[in-house]
Amino acid sequence: MDTVFIKGQNMKLSIVTTLYMSQDNIIEFYERITKEAQKITENYEIIFVDDGSPDNSLGITISLSENDERIKIIELSRNFGHHKAMMTGLNHSQGDLVFLIDVDLEEEPEILGSFYQKIQNETNEIDVLYGVQKSRKGGWFEKISGQFFYSAFNYLTDLDMTKNQVTARLMTKTYVKALVLHKENEIFIGGLWHITGFRQKSVIIEKHSTSETTYSLTKKLVLLENAVTSFSNKPLKIIFHTGLLISLVAIVYIIYLSLMKFFLDIPVDGWTSIISSIWLLGGLIIFFIGVIGIYLSKIYTESKERPYTIIRKVYQSNKMDMK
């Protein structure tokens, strides 16, 4: 007779993943992750967060839940974005250990077992074991843009975030509870993973490329903008120092022109240089105002205290599995 699973009692493991255009991968993901989870414990749950997926991802997971009471499905009212959907799933997890992974099979579900063994065998207790790509997947654009993203983020925030992290990570309940305390509306989850602290350790894994990346250059720049302005005021300091430098250069140039005019009696002209300077300073002013505007818009957004996701419905079987 198999171990009886009782909801809400001594939940040992929670598996959290998100759904968006995922219908082709759900069945295989479920079968593989279930096999790995059962090697660890019978007291586990699988949380699927439907992030407003336009395909049949929700219908497929509902069908699975009818035969497996360990499945919980959180249907969001619309598409809120990958990072917010992950935070919602983590907020509903109950396990002593929480495994976060993407459903697209680029990160193999079998790493759950290896992560669990590593975290159990650690001589020093750790709170997070997370995956880092052995070599960044994708073509030259994805590799170069990914390298630029992490380098720019670390420089502009003074955070030393590990490059090429993947979603897959095994976390303790204590860490997850601390992580979901962050309530900001504009979420960059990679930064939250880092600043939450605790004892974290990376593991090199191989990430497969099963599809074209959905992160275009524009999306990556928007993500970088959100990430930097959420975790640092360094751009504002750069604006201040740039303005100070321009002012000093202008003062020196004015002194130089004054010396040329009044002491050396050399006529001062240069309409082209004046217009160029006006265009340069005008462009810088507009750029700086834009940066300040981004920070003000974030203050405006956060001050409204809107929820970062809205749940439409939660699906979970009430049947008791008595195999």
Side-chain angles (χ1 to χ4, degrees):
M1 183 174 179
D2 292 341
T3 303
V4 176
F5 169 67
I6 304 176
K7 289 180 189 173
Q9 293 191 9
N10 302 319
M11 184 69 69
K12 183 169 184 178
L13 175 66
S14 295
I15 298 162
V16 178
T17 192
T18 61
L19 303 175
Y20 188 80
M21 299 295 289
S22 308
Q23 63 180 17
D24 295 335
N25 301 317
I26 293 172
I27 300 296
E28 182 179 350
F29 172 83
Y30 166 74
E31 292 173 349
R32 292 169 65 181
I33 201 68
T34 297
K35 185 177 179 180
E36 287 302 309
Q38 289 176 347
K39 293 177 183 178
I40 299 172
T41 180
E42 286 293 324
N43 280 328
Y44 68 89
E45 63 179 354
I46 305 176
I47 300 175
F48 292 95
V49 182
D50 175 47
D51 189 23
S53 183
D55 62 1
N56 193 37
S57 296
L58 179 61
I60 293 172
T61 49
I62 290 175
S63 298
L64 290 174
S65 70
E66 292 173 353
N67 299 309
D68 189 345
E69 66 169 341
R70 295 172 174 85
I71 293 177
K72 177 189 287 186
I73 305 158
I74 301 172
E75 181 190 3
L76 302 184
S77 62
R78 61 173 175 83
N79 176 251
F80 287 89
H82 187 207
H83 294 195
K84 295 179 180 181
M86 285 191 286
M87 287 290 282
T88 301
L90 293 174
N91 201 33
H92 284 77
S93 64
Q94 303 178 59
D96 295 326
L97 289 173
V98 182
F99 184 60
L100 180 65
I101 187 172
D102 288 334
V103 78
D104 57 13
L105 301 176
E106 291 190 350
E107 302 151 14
E108 295 183 357
E110 288 73 21
I111 64 177
L112 167 59
S114 64
F115 275 27
Y116 179 75
Q117 290 301 321
K118 285 184 173 66
I119 207 169
Q120 292 296 310
N121 295 334
E122 281 291 325
T123 54
N124 295 322
E125 184 180 351
I126 60 173
D127 301 283
V128 182
L129 194 68
Y130 63 92
V132 176
Q133 296 181 62
K134 183 177 182 181
S135 60
R136 191 172 184 86
K137 74 174 187 70
W140 65 269
F141 169 75
E142 190 169 354
K143 291 179 179 179
I144 293 176
S145 59
Q147 182 70 24
F148 169 76
F149 175 88
Y150 282 104
S151 298
F153 177 81
N154 285 339
Y155 170 74
L156 291 172
T157 61
D158 293 326
L159 296 178
D160 188 21
M161 191 170 70
T162 306
K163 296 181 180 180
N164 299 328
Q165 292 186 48
V166 299
T167 300
R169 58 197 57 233
L170 187 60
M171 304 165 283
T172 62
K173 177 189 287 187
T174 305
Y175 172 84
V176 172
K177 283 185 175 180
L179 177 64
V180 298
L181 289 176
H182 298 285
K183 298 300 182 182
E184 57 253 51
N185 190 275
E186 297 295 331
I187 293 175
F188 172 58
I189 200 167
L192 296 182
W193 287 334
H194 181 84
I195 67 170
T196 302
F198 289 78
R199 295 175 181 173
Q200 303 192 30
K201 185 175 181 180
S202 63
V203 177
I204 300 297
I205 68 167
E206 182 178 356
K207 183 172 182 176
H208 305 290
S209 184
T210 59
S211 61
E212 289 291 328
T213 179
T214 58
Y215 281 94
S216 63
L217 178 60
T218 301
K219 286 185 177 180
K220 287 189 176 182
L221 290 175
V222 170
L223 181 62
L224 178 62
E225 172 197 301
N226 178 49
V228 171
T229 53
S230 294
F231 289 90
S232 175
N233 62 356
K234 193 171 182 178
L236 295 175
K237 294 179 180 178
I238 291 174
I239 288 175
F240 170 76
H241 291 117
T242 303
L244 182 62
L245 177 62
I246 291 174
S247 297
L248 291 174
V249 171
I251 291 171
V252 171
Y253 188 59
I254 290 171
I255 293 173
Y256 167 75
L257 292 178
S258 299
L259 292 174
M260 295 284 287
K261 173 68 175 176
F262 297 108
F263 292 93
L264 301 179
D265 200 26
I266 299 175
V268 177
D269 54 18
W271 182 86
T272 304
S273 62
I274 294 174
I275 294 300
S276 299
S277 300
I278 291 173
W279 278 96
L280 173 63
L281 292 175
L284 286 174
I285 290 170
I286 293 172
F287 171 74
F288 292 161
I289 291 174
V291 173
I292 296 171
I294 291 171
Y295 278 94
L296 290 175
S297 70
K298 295 186 79 67
I299 295 171
Y300 170 70
T301 300
E302 299 297 342
S303 67
K304 290 183 288 188
E305 297 184 349
R306 291 176 179 172
Y308 52 77
T309 59
I310 297 173
I311 297 173
R312 180 179 180 272
K313 192 174 182 179
V314 176
Y315 302 82
Q316 189 169 24
S317 172
N318 292 317
K319 296 184 297 182
M320 185 69 69
D321 187 1
M322 298 292 291
K323 294 181 181 179

